[in-house]
Amino acid sequence: EVQLVESGGDLVQPGGSVTLSCVASGFTFSIVAMSWVRQAPGKGLEWVSTITSGNSVRYADSVKGRFAISRDNAKNTLYLQLNSVKREDTAMYYCAKHPYGRSSYAYNYSRGQGTQVTVSS
């Protein structure tokens, strides 16, 4: 059974930083692409970033240059470092597992329960 458990969400001041983690189990983590997506209050899911099994990365324009995705295959863990956060980064953040061989994100991929990031002074 696929399990994805996110953590690290917090209340962060504008301009601050926070790192999210996602521990994966139930599948071979190292061979699949993984993504982060988010959902702001009252809005739909927004794709944020993807990292492939070969460590190629992509970012949404809204976070490019501020967020950094990474993975530690030895720990079955996905990370998202949020830097220079803005109020509009406030959202529930989810990690998502891609099917094997799929590098593009689709909204029906398995996700965890999420971790909340709130940007406020």
Side-chain angles (χ1 to χ4, degrees), residues 13-82:
Q13 291 190 345
S17 297
V18 64
T19 298
L20 310 182
S21 300
C22 169
V23 177
S25 61
F27 62 99
T28 306
F29 178 77
S30 62
I31 65 171
V32 300
M34 297 290 295
S35 285
W36 286 98
V37 297
R38 66 185 180 184
Q39 187 165 25
K43 297 189 177 182
L45 277 174
E46 176 190 16
W47 170 77
V48 174
S49 182
T50 294
I51 184 167
T52 68
S53 59
N55 285 323
S56 294
V57 299
R58 297 192 298 274
Y59 298 97
D61 288 344
S62 58
V63 307
K64 198 173 296 182
R66 300 188 299 120
F67 289 10
I69 191 171
S70 62
R71 65 192 299 163
D72 185 337
N73 291 335
K75 296 182 178 180
N76 282 2
T77 302
L78 177 73
Y79 301 99
L80 184 70
Q81 184 174 354
L82 290 67

Side-chain angles (χ1 to χ4, degrees), residues 75-120:
K75 296 182 178 180
N76 282 2
T77 302
L78 177 73
Y79 301 99
L80 184 70
Q81 184 174 354
L82 290 67
N83 300 312
S84 303
V85 295
K86 306 175 181 179
R87 287 182 171 80
E88 51 264 42
D89 294 322
T90 294
M92 186 72 78
Y93 284 74
Y94 302 90
C95 65
K97 169 194 172 295
H98 292 220
Y100 175 73
R102 298 283 184 92
S103 60
S104 296
Y105 178 73
Y107 288 100
N108 63 337
Y109 292 169
S110 298
R111 298 192 299 272
Q113 84 291 344
T115 188
Q116 178 68 39
V117 174
T118 301
V119 182
S120 175

